[in-house]
PDB file of all heavy atoms in Angstrom:
ATOM      1  N   GLY A   1      -7.288 125.297  57.295  1.00  0.00           N
ATOM      2  CA  GLY A   1      -6.445 125.687  56.170  1.00  0.00           C
ATOM      3  C   GLY A   1      -5.271 126.556  56.534  1.00  0.00           C
ATOM      4  O   GLY A   1      -4.588 127.099  55.663  1.00  0.00           O
ATOM      5  N   LYS A   2      -4.958 126.669  57.833  1.00  0.00           N
ATOM      6  CA  LYS A   2      -3.840 127.485  58.279  1.00  0.00           C
ATOM      7  C   LYS A   2      -2.582 126.632  58.355  1.00  0.00           C
ATOM      8  O   LYS A   2      -2.630 125.440  58.615  1.00  0.00           O
ATOM      9  CB  LYS A   2      -4.146 128.100  59.642  1.00  0.00           C
ATOM     10  CG  LYS A   2      -5.329 129.065  59.645  1.00  0.00           C
ATOM     11  CD  LYS A   2      -5.607 129.606  61.054  1.00  0.00           C
ATOM     12  CE  LYS A   2      -6.772 130.555  61.050  1.00  0.00           C
ATOM     13  NZ  LYS A   2      -7.077 131.073  62.439  1.00  0.00           N
ATOM     14  N   PRO A   3      -1.388 127.273  58.153  1.00  0.00           N
ATOM     15  CA  PRO A   3      -0.144 126.523  58.249  1.00  0.00           C
ATOM     16  C   PRO A   3      -0.023 125.830  59.611  1.00  0.00           C
ATOM     17  O   PRO A   3      -0.383 126.391  60.640  1.00  0.00           O
ATOM     18  CB  PRO A   3       0.912 127.598  58.049  1.00  0.00           C
ATOM     19  CG  PRO A   3       0.244 128.696  57.307  1.00  0.00           C
ATOM     20  CD  PRO A   3      -1.177 128.704  57.808  1.00  0.00           C
ATOM     21  N   SER A   4       0.499 124.607  59.586  1.00  0.00           N
ATOM     22  CA  SER A   4       0.611 123.820  60.818  1.00  0.00           C
ATOM     23  C   SER A   4       1.834 122.908  60.759  1.00  0.00           C
ATOM     24  O   SER A   4       2.248 122.470  59.677  1.00  0.00           O
ATOM     25  CB  SER A   4      -0.648 122.981  61.009  1.00  0.00           C
ATOM     26  OG  SER A   4      -0.533 122.157  62.150  1.00  0.00           O
ATOM     27  N   PHE A   5       2.378 122.634  61.931  1.00  0.00           N
ATOM     28  CA  PHE A   5       3.464 121.632  62.031  1.00  0.00           C
ATOM     29  C   PHE A   5       2.893 120.235  62.211  1.00  0.00           C
ATOM     30  O   PHE A   5       3.656 119.291  62.375  1.00  0.00           O
ATOM     31  CB  PHE A   5       4.373 121.959  63.225  1.00  0.00           C
ATOM     32  CG  PHE A   5       5.256 123.169  63.007  1.00  0.00           C
ATOM     33  CD1 PHE A   5       4.964 124.371  63.629  1.00  0.00           C
ATOM     34  CD2 PHE A   5       6.335 123.111  62.148  1.00  0.00           C
ATOM     35  CE1 PHE A   5       5.760 125.500  63.423  1.00  0.00           C
ATOM     36  CE2 PHE A   5       7.147 124.220  61.937  1.00  0.00           C
ATOM     37  CZ  PHE A   5       6.876 125.431  62.561  1.00  0.00           C
ATOM     38  N   LEU A   6       1.577 120.103  62.179  1.00  0.00           N
ATOM     39  CA  LEU A   6       0.925 118.806  62.400  1.00  0.00           C
ATOM     40  C   LEU A   6       0.104 118.399  61.186  1.00  0.00           C
ATOM     41  O   LEU A   6      -0.764 119.139  60.742  1.00  0.00           O
ATOM     42  CB  LEU A   6       0.018 118.881  63.637  1.00  0.00           C
ATOM     43  CG  LEU A   6       0.683 119.269  64.957  1.00  0.00           C
ATOM     44  CD1 LEU A   6      -0.340 119.302  66.087  1.00  0.00           C
ATOM     45  CD2 LEU A   6       1.815 118.322  65.311  1.00  0.00           C
ATOM     46  N   GLN A   7       0.389 117.214  60.675  1.00  0.00           N
ATOM     47  CA  GLN A   7      -0.413 116.608  59.635  1.00  0.00           C
ATOM     48  C   GLN A   7      -1.344 115.584  60.293  1.00  0.00           C
ATOM     49  O   GLN A   7      -0.863 114.573  60.865  1.00  0.00           O
ATOM     50  CB  GLN A   7       0.431 115.917  58.571  1.00  0.00           C
ATOM     51  CG  GLN A   7      -0.384 115.289  57.448  1.00  0.00           C
ATOM     52  CD  GLN A   7       0.433 114.409  56.498  1.00  0.00           C
ATOM     53  OE1 GLN A   7       1.353 113.732  56.928  1.00  0.00           O
ATOM     54  NE2 GLN A   7       0.102 114.472  55.214  1.00  0.00           N
ATOM     55  N   ALA A   8      -2.623 115.828  60.262  1.00  0.00           N
ATOM     56  CA  ALA A   8      -3.576 114.887  60.899  1.00  0.00           C
ATOM     57  C   ALA A   8      -3.558 113.550  60.184  1.00  0.00           C
ATOM     58  O   ALA A   8      -3.535 113.464  58.949  1.00  0.00           O
ATOM     59  CB  ALA A   8      -4.998 115.481  60.864  1.00  0.00           C
ATOM     60  N   VAL A   9      -3.530 112.473  60.979  1.00  0.00           N
ATOM     61  CA  VAL A   9      -3.530 111.095  60.451  1.00  0.00           C
ATOM     62  C   VAL A   9      -4.762 110.386  61.054  1.00  0.00           C
ATOM     63  O   VAL A   9      -4.744 109.932  62.195  1.00  0.00           O
ATOM     64  CB  VAL A   9      -2.244 110.330  60.830  1.00  0.00           C
ATOM     65  CG1 VAL A   9      -2.281 108.924  60.273  1.00  0.00           C
ATOM     66  CG2 VAL A   9      -1.007 111.074  60.344  1.00  0.00           C
ATOM     67  N   PRO A  10      -5.870 110.328  60.290  1.00  0.00           N
ATOM     68  CA  PRO A  10      -7.100 109.678  60.811  1.00  0.00           C
ATOM     69  C   PRO A  10      -6.921 108.159  60.891  1.00  0.00           C
ATOM     70  O   PRO A  10      -6.484 107.513  59.930  1.00  0.00           O
ATOM     71  CB  PRO A  10      -8.160 110.053  59.775  1.00  0.00           C
ATOM     72  CG  PRO A  10      -7.563 111.170  58.988  1.00  0.00           C
ATOM     73  CD  PRO A  10      -6.093 110.946  58.998  1.00  0.00           C
ATOM     74  N   LEU A  11      -7.225 107.614  62.076  1.00  0.00           N
ATOM     75  CA  LEU A  11      -7.052 106.175  62.309  1.00  0.00           C
ATOM     76  C   LEU A  11      -8.347 105.528  62.770  1.00  0.00           C
ATOM     77  O   LEU A  11      -9.267 106.190  63.260  1.00  0.00           O
ATOM     78  CB  LEU A  11      -6.006 105.953  63.404  1.00  0.00           C
ATOM     79  CG  LEU A  11      -4.573 106.414  63.164  1.00  0.00           C
ATOM     80  CD1 LEU A  11      -3.710 106.065  64.378  1.00  0.00           C
ATOM     81  CD2 LEU A  11      -3.978 105.810  61.904  1.00  0.00           C
ATOM     82  N   ILE A  12      -8.385 104.232  62.612  1.00  0.00           N
ATOM     83  CA  ILE A  12      -9.383 103.383  63.271  1.00  0.00           C
ATOM     84  C   ILE A  12      -8.634 102.515  64.275  1.00  0.00           C
ATOM     85  O   ILE A  12      -7.683 101.812  63.888  1.00  0.00           O
ATOM     86  CB  ILE A  12     -10.162 102.530  62.256  1.00  0.00           C
ATOM     87  CG1 ILE A  12     -10.929 103.425  61.294  1.00  0.00           C
ATOM     88  CG2 ILE A  12     -11.090 101.572  62.973  1.00  0.00           C
ATOM     89  CD1 ILE A  12     -11.543 102.673  60.135  1.00  0.00           C
ATOM     90  N   GLU A  13      -9.022 102.594  65.522  1.00  0.00           N
ATOM     91  CA  GLU A  13      -8.427 101.737  66.545  1.00  0.00           C
ATOM     92  C   GLU A  13      -9.459 100.653  66.908  1.00  0.00           C
ATOM     93  O   GLU A  13     -10.640 100.963  67.120  1.00  0.00           O
ATOM     94  CB  GLU A  13      -8.069 102.531  67.775  1.00  0.00           C
ATOM     95  CG  GLU A  13      -7.407 101.680  68.877  1.00  0.00           C
ATOM     96  CD  GLU A  13      -6.916 102.518  70.025  1.00  0.00           C
ATOM     97  OE1 GLU A  13      -7.744 102.879  70.894  1.00  0.00           O
ATOM     98  OE2 GLU A  13      -5.708 102.801  70.073  1.00  0.00           O
ATOM     99  N   TYR A  14      -9.015  99.411  66.989  1.00  0.00           N
ATOM    100  CA  TYR A  14      -9.954  98.328  67.242  1.00  0.00           C
ATOM    101  C   TYR A  14      -9.240  97.203  68.011  1.00  0.00           C
ATOM    102  O   TYR A  14      -8.019  97.081  68.023  1.00  0.00           O
ATOM    103  CB  TYR A  14     -10.504  97.791  65.925  1.00  0.00           C
ATOM    104  CG  TYR A  14      -9.473  97.276  64.947  1.00  0.00           C
ATOM    105  CD1 TYR A  14      -9.247  95.919  64.776  1.00  0.00           C
ATOM    106  CD2 TYR A  14      -8.711  98.159  64.184  1.00  0.00           C
ATOM    107  CE1 TYR A  14      -8.295  95.430  63.866  1.00  0.00           C
ATOM    108  CE2 TYR A  14      -7.749  97.696  63.277  1.00  0.00           C
ATOM    109  CZ  TYR A  14      -7.558  96.340  63.148  1.00  0.00           C
ATOM    110  OH  TYR A  14      -6.614  95.861  62.267  1.00  0.00           O
ATOM    111  N   ARG A  15     -10.032  96.418  68.690  1.00  0.00           N
ATOM    112  CA  ARG A  15      -9.506  95.291  69.460  1.00  0.00           C
ATOM    113  C   ARG A  15     -10.027  93.977  68.857  1.00  0.00           C
ATOM    114  O   ARG A  15     -11.213  93.659  68.995  1.00  0.00           O
ATOM    115  CB  ARG A  15      -9.905  95.408  70.921  1.00  0.00           C
ATOM    116  CG  ARG A  15      -9.213  96.521  71.660  1.00  0.00           C
ATOM    117  CD  ARG A  15      -9.504  96.491  73.151  1.00  0.00           C
ATOM    118  NE  ARG A  15      -8.792  97.505  73.872  1.00  0.00           N
ATOM    119  CZ  ARG A  15      -7.552  97.392  74.338  1.00  0.00           C
ATOM    120  NH1 ARG A  15      -6.902  96.265  74.130  1.00  0.00           N
ATOM    121  NH2 ARG A  15      -6.978  98.405  74.984  1.00  0.00           N
ATOM    122  N   PRO A  16      -9.163  93.225  68.180  1.00  0.00           N
ATOM    123  CA  PRO A  16      -9.616  91.939  67.638  1.00  0.00           C
ATOM    124  C   PRO A  16     -10.002  90.986  68.772  1.00  0.00           C
ATOM    125  O   PRO A  16      -9.359  90.946  69.811  1.00  0.00           O
ATOM    126  CB  PRO A  16      -8.359  91.420  66.896  1.00  0.00           C
ATOM    127  CG  PRO A  16      -7.536  92.632  66.637  1.00  0.00           C
ATOM    128  CD  PRO A  16      -7.778  93.550  67.804  1.00  0.00           C
ATOM    129  N   ASP A  17     -11.075  90.255  68.572  1.00  0.00           N
ATOM    130  CA  ASP A  17     -11.528  89.247  69.530  1.00  0.00           C
ATOM    131  C   ASP A  17     -10.939  87.914  69.103  1.00  0.00           C
ATOM    132  O   ASP A  17     -11.456  87.237  68.215  1.00  0.00           O
ATOM    133  CB  ASP A  17     -13.063  89.201  69.519  1.00  0.00           C
ATOM    134  CG  ASP A  17     -13.604  88.249  70.570  1.00  0.00           C
ATOM    135  OD1 ASP A  17     -12.824  87.482  71.159  1.00  0.00           O
ATOM    136  OD2 ASP A  17     -14.845  88.246  70.765  1.00  0.00           O
ATOM    137  N   ALA A  18      -9.805  87.551  69.734  1.00  0.00           N
ATOM    138  CA  ALA A  18      -9.103  86.323  69.328  1.00  0.00           C
ATOM    139  C   ALA A  18      -9.975  85.094  69.488  1.00  0.00           C
ATOM    140  O   ALA A  18      -9.870  84.148  68.685  1.00  0.00           O
ATOM    141  CB  ALA A  18      -7.838  86.182  70.163  1.00  0.00           C
ATOM    142  N   LYS A  19     -10.846  85.086  70.480  1.00  0.00           N
ATOM    143  CA  LYS A  19     -11.709  83.913  70.679  1.00  0.00           C
ATOM    144  C   LYS A  19     -12.707  83.733  69.540  1.00  0.00           C
ATOM    145  O   LYS A  19     -13.186  82.615  69.293  1.00  0.00           O
ATOM    146  CB  LYS A  19     -12.450  84.057  72.016  1.00  0.00           C
ATOM    147  CG  LYS A  19     -11.511  83.989  73.222  1.00  0.00           C
ATOM    148  CD  LYS A  19     -12.300  84.103  74.524  1.00  0.00           C
ATOM    149  CE  LYS A  19     -11.363  84.040  75.718  1.00  0.00           C
ATOM    150  NZ  LYS A  19     -12.097  84.167  77.001  1.00  0.00           N
ATOM    151  N   ALA A  20     -13.046  84.824  68.859  1.00  0.00           N
ATOM    152  CA  ALA A  20     -14.008  84.726  67.763  1.00  0.00           C
ATOM    153  C   ALA A  20     -13.355  84.533  66.407  1.00  0.00           C
ATOM    154  O   ALA A  20     -14.025  84.338  65.394  1.00  0.00           O
ATOM    155  CB  ALA A  20     -14.868  85.988  67.716  1.00  0.00           C
ATOM    156  N   THR A  21     -12.016  84.574  66.384  1.00  0.00           N
ATOM    157  CA  THR A  21     -11.275  84.372  65.119  1.00  0.00           C
ATOM    158  C   THR A  21     -11.310  82.894  64.768  1.00  0.00           C
ATOM    159  O   THR A  21     -10.948  82.036  65.585  1.00  0.00           O
ATOM    160  CB  THR A  21      -9.813  84.834  65.281  1.00  0.00           C
ATOM    161  OG1 THR A  21      -9.806  86.229  65.561  1.00  0.00           O
ATOM    162  CG2 THR A  21      -9.021  84.567  64.017  1.00  0.00           C
ATOM    163  N   SER A  22     -11.701  82.603  63.542  1.00  0.00           N
ATOM    164  CA  SER A  22     -11.716  81.203  63.128  1.00  0.00           C
ATOM    165  C   SER A  22     -11.561  81.076  61.605  1.00  0.00           C
ATOM    166  O   SER A  22     -11.871  81.989  60.844  1.00  0.00           O
ATOM    167  CB  SER A  22     -12.998  80.500  63.568  1.00  0.00           C
ATOM    168  OG  SER A  22     -14.117  80.999  62.872  1.00  0.00           O
ATOM    169  N   LEU A  23     -11.105  79.900  61.217  1.00  0.00           N
ATOM    170  CA  LEU A  23     -11.042  79.520  59.804  1.00  0.00           C
ATOM    171  C   LEU A  23     -11.606  78.115  59.693  1.00  0.00           C
ATOM    172  O   LEU A  23     -11.176  77.202  60.401  1.00  0.00           O
ATOM    173  CB  LEU A  23      -9.593  79.545  59.307  1.00  0.00           C
ATOM    174  CG  LEU A  23      -9.399  79.278  57.826  1.00  0.00           C
ATOM    175  CD1 LEU A  23      -9.901  80.449  56.989  1.00  0.00           C
ATOM    176  CD2 LEU A  23      -7.945  78.993  57.493  1.00  0.00           C
ATOM    177  N   VAL A  24     -12.591  77.939  58.804  1.00  0.00           N
ATOM    178  CA  VAL A  24     -13.251  76.634  58.653  1.00  0.00           C
ATOM    179  C   VAL A  24     -12.997  76.144  57.240  1.00  0.00           C
ATOM    180  O   VAL A  24     -13.306  76.822  56.253  1.00  0.00           O
ATOM    181  CB  VAL A  24     -14.755  76.750  58.919  1.00  0.00           C
ATOM    182  CG1 VAL A  24     -15.428  75.399  58.693  1.00  0.00           C
ATOM    183  CG2 VAL A  24     -15.027  77.284  60.334  1.00  0.00           C
ATOM    184  N   LEU A  25     -12.407  74.951  57.137  1.00  0.00           N
ATOM    185  CA  LEU A  25     -12.209  74.288  55.854  1.00  0.00           C
ATOM    186  C   LEU A  25     -13.423  73.415  55.548  1.00  0.00           C
ATOM    187  O   LEU A  25     -13.841  72.609  56.372  1.00  0.00           O
ATOM    188  CB  LEU A  25     -10.948  73.424  55.908  1.00  0.00           C
ATOM    189  CG  LEU A  25     -10.731  72.441  54.742  1.00  0.00           C
ATOM    190  CD1 LEU A  25     -10.543  73.183  53.416  1.00  0.00           C
ATOM    191  CD2 LEU A  25      -9.527  71.515  55.013  1.00  0.00           C
ATOM    192  N   LYS A  26     -13.967  73.602  54.338  1.00  0.00           N
ATOM    193  CA  LYS A  26     -15.113  72.802  53.892  1.00  0.00           C
ATOM    194  C   LYS A  26     -14.664  71.890  52.757  1.00  0.00           C
ATOM    195  O   LYS A  26     -14.262  72.361  51.690  1.00  0.00           O
ATOM    196  CB  LYS A  26     -16.237  73.726  53.436  1.00  0.00           C
ATOM    197  CG  LYS A  26     -16.759  74.639  54.552  1.00  0.00           C
ATOM    198  CD  LYS A  26     -17.845  75.590  54.044  1.00  0.00           C
ATOM    199  CE  LYS A  26     -18.367  76.440  55.159  1.00  0.00           C
ATOM    200  NZ  LYS A  26     -19.037  75.676  56.242  1.00  0.00           N
ATOM    201  N   ARG A  27     -14.695  70.584  53.049  1.00  0.00           N
ATOM    202  CA  ARG A  27     -14.223  69.628  52.042  1.00  0.00           C
ATOM    203  C   ARG A  27     -14.946  68.292  52.249  1.00  0.00           C
ATOM    204  O   ARG A  27     -15.061  67.812  53.383  1.00  0.00           O
ATOM    205  CB  ARG A  27     -12.700  69.442  52.178  1.00  0.00           C
ATOM    206  CG  ARG A  27     -12.097  68.474  51.205  1.00  0.00           C
ATOM    207  CD  ARG A  27     -10.585  68.350  51.411  1.00  0.00           C
ATOM    208  NE  ARG A  27      -9.874  69.541  50.915  1.00  0.00           N
ATOM    209  CZ  ARG A  27      -8.645  69.884  51.339  1.00  0.00           C
ATOM    210  NH1 ARG A  27      -8.056  69.190  52.260  1.00  0.00           N
ATOM    211  NH2 ARG A  27      -8.065  70.954  50.820  1.00  0.00           N
ATOM    212  N   LYS A  28     -15.455  67.735  51.160  1.00  0.00           N
ATOM    213  CA  LYS A  28     -16.137  66.458  51.196  1.00  0.00           C
ATOM    214  C   LYS A  28     -17.286  66.460  52.208  1.00  0.00           C
ATOM    215  O   LYS A  28     -17.500  65.467  52.932  1.00  0.00           O
ATOM    216  CB  LYS A  28     -15.165  65.318  51.472  1.00  0.00           C
ATOM    217  CG  LYS A  28     -14.139  65.113  50.400  1.00  0.00           C
ATOM    218  CD  LYS A  28     -13.194  63.948  50.714  1.00  0.00           C
ATOM    219  CE  LYS A  28     -12.177  63.736  49.577  1.00  0.00           C
ATOM    220  NZ  LYS A  28     -11.248  62.633  49.893  1.00  0.00           N
ATOM    221  N   GLY A  29     -17.980  67.571  52.277  1.00  0.00           N
ATOM    222  CA  GLY A  29     -19.122  67.663  53.185  1.00  0.00           C
ATOM    223  C   GLY A  29     -18.753  67.761  54.662  1.00  0.00           C
ATOM    224  O   GLY A  29     -19.636  67.682  55.530  1.00  0.00           O
ATOM    225  N   LYS A  30     -17.469  67.900  54.953  1.00  0.00           N
ATOM    226  CA  LYS A  30     -17.009  67.944  56.330  1.00  0.00           C
ATOM    227  C   LYS A  30     -16.381  69.308  56.629  1.00  0.00           C
ATOM    228  O   LYS A  30     -15.709  69.892  55.781  1.00  0.00           O
ATOM    229  CB  LYS A  30     -15.993  66.834  56.572  1.00  0.00           C
ATOM    230  CG  LYS A  30     -15.399  66.807  57.974  1.00  0.00           C
ATOM    231  CD  LYS A  30     -14.337  65.720  58.091  1.00  0.00           C
ATOM    232  CE  LYS A  30     -13.686  65.758  59.469  1.00  0.00           C
ATOM    233  NZ  LYS A  30     -12.599  64.747  59.592  1.00  0.00           N
ATOM    234  N   ASP A  31     -16.578  69.800  57.840  1.00  0.00           N
ATOM    235  CA  ASP A  31     -15.989  71.071  58.268  1.00  0.00           C
ATOM    236  C   ASP A  31     -14.856  70.802  59.251  1.00  0.00           C
ATOM    237  O   ASP A  31     -15.006  70.003  60.202  1.00  0.00           O
ATOM    238  CB  ASP A  31     -17.039  71.942  58.956  1.00  0.00           C
ATOM    239  CG  ASP A  31     -18.058  72.531  58.008  1.00  0.00           C
ATOM    240  OD1 ASP A  31     -17.912  72.281  56.778  1.00  0.00           O
ATOM    241  OD2 ASP A  31     -19.006  73.201  58.460  1.00  0.00           O
ATOM    242  N   THR A  32     -13.723  71.449  59.001  1.00  0.00           N
ATOM    243  CA  THR A  32     -12.607  71.417  59.955  1.00  0.00           C
ATOM    244  C   THR A  32     -12.335  72.852  60.402  1.00  0.00           C
ATOM    245  O   THR A  32     -12.071  73.702  59.546  1.00  0.00           O
ATOM    246  CB  THR A  32     -11.338  70.832  59.294  1.00  0.00           C
ATOM    247  OG1 THR A  32     -11.628  69.501  58.813  1.00  0.00           O
ATOM    248  CG2 THR A  32     -10.202  70.759  60.300  1.00  0.00           C
ATOM    249  N   GLU A  33     -12.374  73.090  61.695  1.00  0.00           N
ATOM    250  CA  GLU A  33     -12.231  74.456  62.208  1.00  0.00           C
ATOM    251  C   GLU A  33     -10.908  74.651  62.946  1.00  0.00           C
ATOM    252  O   GLU A  33     -10.479  73.769  63.715  1.00  0.00           O
ATOM    253  CB  GLU A  33     -13.401  74.807  63.157  1.00  0.00           C
ATOM    254  CG  GLU A  33     -13.335  76.241  63.664  1.00  0.00           C
ATOM    255  CD  GLU A  33     -14.476  76.592  64.577  1.00  0.00           C
ATOM    256  OE1 GLU A  33     -14.914  75.699  65.359  1.00  0.00           O
ATOM    257  OE2 GLU A  33     -14.965  77.720  64.548  1.00  0.00           O
ATOM    258  N   TRP A  34     -10.286  75.803  62.705  1.00  0.00           N
ATOM    259  CA  TRP A  34      -9.095  76.202  63.450  1.00  0.00           C
ATOM    260  C   TRP A  34      -9.325  77.538  64.138  1.00  0.00           C
ATOM    261  O   TRP A  34     -10.027  78.398  63.602  1.00  0.00           O
ATOM    262  CB  TRP A  34      -7.891  76.342  62.525  1.00  0.00           C
ATOM    263  CG  TRP A  34      -7.458  75.057  61.877  1.00  0.00           C
ATOM    264  CD1 TRP A  34      -6.716  74.062  62.439  1.00  0.00           C
ATOM    265  CD2 TRP A  34      -7.698  74.669  60.511  1.00  0.00           C
ATOM    266  NE1 TRP A  34      -6.507  73.063  61.529  1.00  0.00           N
ATOM    267  CE2 TRP A  34      -7.089  73.410  60.344  1.00  0.00           C
ATOM    268  CE3 TRP A  34      -8.368  75.261  59.444  1.00  0.00           C
ATOM    269  CZ2 TRP A  34      -7.125  72.740  59.126  1.00  0.00           C
ATOM    270  CZ3 TRP A  34      -8.433  74.589  58.248  1.00  0.00           C
ATOM    271  CH2 TRP A  34      -7.824  73.342  58.084  1.00  0.00           C
ATOM    272  N   LYS A  35      -8.738  77.669  65.309  1.00  0.00           N
ATOM    273  CA  LYS A  35      -8.867  78.902  66.076  1.00  0.00           C
ATOM    274  C   LYS A  35      -7.479  79.443  66.395  1.00  0.00           C
ATOM    275  O   LYS A  35      -6.456  78.823  66.094  1.00  0.00           O
ATOM    276  CB  LYS A  35      -9.627  78.631  67.397  1.00  0.00           C
ATOM    277  CG  LYS A  35     -10.969  77.941  67.224  1.00  0.00           C
ATOM    278  CD  LYS A  35     -12.082  78.890  66.857  1.00  0.00           C
ATOM    279  CE  LYS A  35     -12.521  79.686  68.062  1.00  0.00           C
ATOM    280  NZ  LYS A  35     -13.680  80.550  67.754  1.00  0.00           N
ATOM    281  N   ASP A  36      -7.442  80.607  67.015  1.00  0.00           N
ATOM    282  CA  ASP A  36      -6.191  81.199  67.472  1.00  0.00           C
ATOM    283  C   ASP A  36      -5.488  80.255  68.484  1.00  0.00           C
ATOM    284  O   ASP A  36      -6.190  79.654  69.322  1.00  0.00           O
ATOM    285  CB  ASP A  36      -6.500  82.533  68.169  1.00  0.00           C
ATOM    286  CG  ASP A  36      -5.271  83.293  68.576  1.00  0.00           C
ATOM    287  OD1 ASP A  36      -4.693  83.991  67.733  1.00  0.00           O
ATOM    288  OD2 ASP A  36      -4.873  83.186  69.760  1.00  0.00           O
ATOM    289  N   PRO A  37      -4.169  79.971  68.392  1.00  0.00           N
ATOM    290  CA  PRO A  37      -3.173  80.652  67.562  1.00  0.00           C
ATOM    291  C   PRO A  37      -2.882  79.957  66.245  1.00  0.00           C
ATOM    292  O   PRO A  37      -1.966  80.398  65.535  1.00  0.00           O
ATOM    293  CB  PRO A  37      -1.949  80.637  68.471  1.00  0.00           C
ATOM    294  CG  PRO A  37      -2.056  79.302  69.172  1.00  0.00           C
ATOM    295  CD  PRO A  37      -3.535  79.097  69.393  1.00  0.00           C
TER     296      PRO A  37
END
């Protein structure tokens, strides 16, 4: 609670796993998968 020249900015740092990134389209009982990029 003391005066400061610094305003703390709490962050979350993370590393996305591009190999695990996916989008799957489900249509007519069929799956179509896309990956990075």
Side-chain angles (χ1 to χ4, degrees):
K2 296 179 180 179
S4 176
F5 289 105
L6 302 180
Q7 181 189 37
V9 181
L11 298 181
I12 297 171
E13 182 174 80
Y14 59 103
R15 290 186 177 274
D17 183 351
K19 293 181 180 179
T21 298
S22 68
L23 184 72
V24 178
L25 168 63
K26 297 178 178 297
R27 180 180 286 158
K28 295 181 179 179
K30 178 184 176 182
D31 289 356
T32 303
E33 182 180 36
W34 295 282
K35 306 278 284 185
D36 184 82

